[in-house]
Structure formats: structure tokens, C-alpha cells
Amino acid sequence: MSAYMTGVKPNNGVIAMSSDTLAKEPGADAQGRKLVSRCANGTPVATLAELAKQRGMSAGVVTTTRVTDATPAATFAHVCARELETDIAASLVPGGAGYNAALGANGLDLVLGGGSDYFGALRSDGRDLLAELRAKGFRTPANTAELKALDEAAPQPVIGLFARHDMSFSAERDAAKQPGLTEMSSKAIGLLSKNPNGFFLVVEGGMIDIALHDTRAKRALQETVEFDNAL
């Protein structure tokens, strides 16, 4: 995904960084468990979302995994190791520590998916990133009804997190708590398309991949159908 977003093919595990960036800090143990915090080597490379924002366009990302997973992260974050998901989350908070300033003063206009724990419960720094985002004017819908109720004409950015980790498979989700990919994509287009300069939107049916990792063929096919519905 970093290669798609930047035109630069990075080393495995690196998110939107130059091709010479090493994912593991020198001196890491045999299992590679000692990860750098942020990037002690290499340099960030521009993403399509950043370029869109610089042109005055709106930009957003929709996923059925956590929004800090590698695919969505490659649109807005620059880190040496994809496992640094609390750092990736911090990239989204305008003006906060770890913010990706290349997204401009106001950040991404829309982020929808799972992964709320990386914005609060799993953080070691005590920050509540959702509270910080609300203080910056973001709307933070937490369920399907709140997402549907968003005024598409309102200019405030949106970050909706509908699960603590990845979202549920479409055949298993509680539709009142978690919107489907089609619903999220439709709302995203409605919100972002109000910008007369246009918009850039990444939509990932990420639970297809999760199902395939777990060799759950039926769920993978159902998620593929949901992705097709979203298209």
C-alpha cells in the first residue's frame, strides 16, 4: 500500500518512508522485537492524500479493519514499523505530538473504521486522542445511527471508530453498532464531495484479507460481495 500511495517501494513493514528505511532499529533482538519509536532512519515520502490536501482537495480513508492497520496508515502516516499503531494514530491529531504536518493544518477530512483502542486504551502516554480530535472540531460518530445522522453539508471533519480493534465480518456485525462498508463509503462520498476542488478517498475492504489469513473462505467471499456492493 505504501508503494501505491507514494510511488516508492519500501522495505517490508515500513509505512510511507524512503526505500532505504530500516524497519528494525540496529541492535534489535533475534525476534526483531525492539522497534524504533517513530523513525530514527530514512525519510518520509509524500502520499497521495498529502498531495490532495496540498491542492485544496478533501481527503479521507474508509476501512473495515482498524484505521491504524498498514493499508489505511499508508495514506496518512510515516513510521518505520507498521506495529507502531499508537504512533500511527497520533499522526491524525492536528497540532498534537506526532501529528503528520504534511496533511496541512486541519488534517484528513474523514476517517472511518475500527481501532479505537489505539486512540486511548492501548496508549502508554495517557492521551485520549478522540477527545483531542473533538477539541479540534472533529465529529466522532461511534455507531451506525450517529454516522447516518451526520450533516453532509457541515464543514467539520469526521473520525468514526466503530470497534476497539478490527470491525466485525459483515455477516456477524451488529448493524446498529457497526455500519457496513457500503454505508461508510456512501457517507464518505456524501461528505467529501462537497469540496468544489474535488476529493481523494481510499476505501479498503480489509476484512477480506483477515478472513483469508484465517482460511475462512465463506467469510472472505461474503466480504468480497460487500466490497462489490460498496463499489
Side-chain angles (χ1 to χ4, degrees):
M1 188 60 175
S2 289
Y4 291 156
M5 288 296 103
T6 69
V8 175
K9 188 176 186 298
N11 285 314
N12 188 42
V14 174
I15 301 294
M17 296 287 289
S18 56
S19 59
D20 60 341
T21 306
L22 300 177
K24 302 295 185 286
E25 185 177 29
D29 63 23
Q31 288 74 41
R33 289 176 296 186
K34 185 181 179 184
L35 300 174
V36 294
S37 180
R38 305 213 172 277
C39 291
N41 71 100
T43 54
V45 287
T47 73
L48 287 172
E50 293 167 357
L51 295 175
K53 292 293 294 183
Q54 291 161 19
R55 289 172 175 263
M57 301 168 69
S58 295
V61 60
V62 173
T63 182
T64 47
T65 64
R66 56 207 183 278
V67 300
T68 52
D69 196 17
T71 296
T75 67
F76 62 82
H78 303 276
V79 292
C80 290
R82 60 177 293 177
E83 296 89 349
L84 299 173
E85 295 192 50
T86 54
D87 285 1
I88 291 168
S91 301
L92 287 168
V93 185
Y99 173 60
N100 177 16
L103 294 170
N106 300 317
L108 285 186
D109 301 277
L110 176 134
V111 179
L112 300 176
S116 62
D117 275 357
Y118 295 96
F119 290 73
L122 292 178
R123 304 193 63 80
S124 60
D125 56 13
R127 293 174 66 185
D128 181 343
L129 299 190
L130 283 176
E132 292 182 29
L133 286 160
R134 283 190 287 268
K136 294 289 183 179
F138 280 73
R139 294 173 286 176
T140 57
N143 56 51
T144 303
E146 291 179 5
L147 179 67
K148 288 181 176 179
L150 290 179
D151 181 357
E152 294 182 5
Q156 298 100 316
V158 174
I159 180 161
L161 303 177
F162 307 106
R164 295 178 62 183
H165 196 66
D166 296 328
M167 296 177 70
S168 300
F169 290 114
S170 57
E172 300 173 4
R173 71 183 174 90
D174 182 336
K177 295 179 179 179
Q178 294 186 12
L181 185 64
T182 301
E183 294 169 289
M184 292 193 291
S185 300
S186 178
K187 178 58 79 169
I189 292 169
L191 290 161
L192 297 176
S193 62
K194 299 301 185 292
N195 187 335
N197 295 320
F199 67 91
F200 173 77
L201 175 64
V202 170
V203 176
E204 181 200 19
M207 295 305 289
I208 302 170
D209 183 48
I210 300 297
L212 291 171
H213 277 298
D214 294 340
T215 60
R216 301 182 68 181
K218 182 177 179 179
R219 289 290 182 257
L221 182 56
Q222 290 168 329
E223 293 302 307
T224 302
V225 170
E226 176 65 10
F227 186 72
D228 188 62
N229 291 338
L231 291 175

